[in-house]
Amino acid sequence: MNRKEHWEKVFKTKSLDEVSWYEVVPETSLSFFKESNISKSAKIIDIGGGDSFLVDNLLRLGYKDITVLDISDAELDRAKLRLKDKSKHVKWIVADVANFSPPENYDFWHDRAAFHFLTDKQSIDNYVETVQKSLNKNGNLVIGTFSENGPKKCSGLDIKQYSEATMTNQFKMFFDKVKCIDIDHKTPFDTSQNFVFCWFKRK
């Protein structure tokens, strides 16, 4: 089963609140948008956004140019169904970020827990190259991954853990670090997952 088939199966067999990343208000991610003070008309892309509630919250806050990318058609369809008419105000892209060719440049690239599923060097290098090519000068890059104290697997797949140091090193050629934070995410199953979130600015 390839990566796309795996995720299509996950989202056809699990309900919205049966996945570990379920959050009605993704406060950690939203805090970076607030702190960055970007314009409400800034171009935003949410990588691996799927049926996350980030897009709902960004629309509610007045952001007007939002793209959601995910590898799973089923996941995006679920998000569109939830948003109803509001879904027309969002750009939806079905793609594997490991070989994604962005149709435009962005001011804010957000990724909560997609990057850590890329475990081979080629996919990771492709990702970094794509971000640096498609993010505008002084653009914001926020990535959240499982930390070195977090899980080693998610949804049955191996992941790559990061620390502040290894994340910074991965992106230092094209990006300046603003800050990194450690967060404990409480899952719907009453377990805790430790994440590292890093915020960078495009050089």
Side-chain angles (χ1 to χ4, degrees), residues 18-30:
E18 288 181 323
V19 291
S20 64
W21 52 90
Y22 175 71
E23 284 181 300
V24 175
V25 181
E27 292 178 357
T28 301
S29 293
L30 290 170

Side-chain angles (χ1 to χ4, degrees), residues 161-197:
Q161 295 175 319
Y162 286 89
S163 64
E164 177 174 348
T166 56
M167 182 82 81
T168 303
N169 187 60
Q170 186 67 67
F171 290 93
K172 67 182 180 181
M173 186 178 295
F174 306 110
F175 296 90
D176 292 321
K177 181 179 70 179
V178 179
K179 71 174 186 179
C180 294
I181 58 173
D182 281 331
I183 292 291
D184 283 318
H185 165 64
K186 185 64 69 71
T187 73
F189 327 120
D190 205 31
T191 59
S192 186
Q193 298 175 331
N194 192 249
F195 278 79
V196 57
F197 275 79

Side-chain angles (χ1 to χ4, degrees), residues 61-72:
L61 291 168
Y63 292 99
K64 296 176 172 60
D65 196 335
I66 306 167
T67 299
V68 178
L69 175 144
D70 202 89
I71 197 171
S72 166

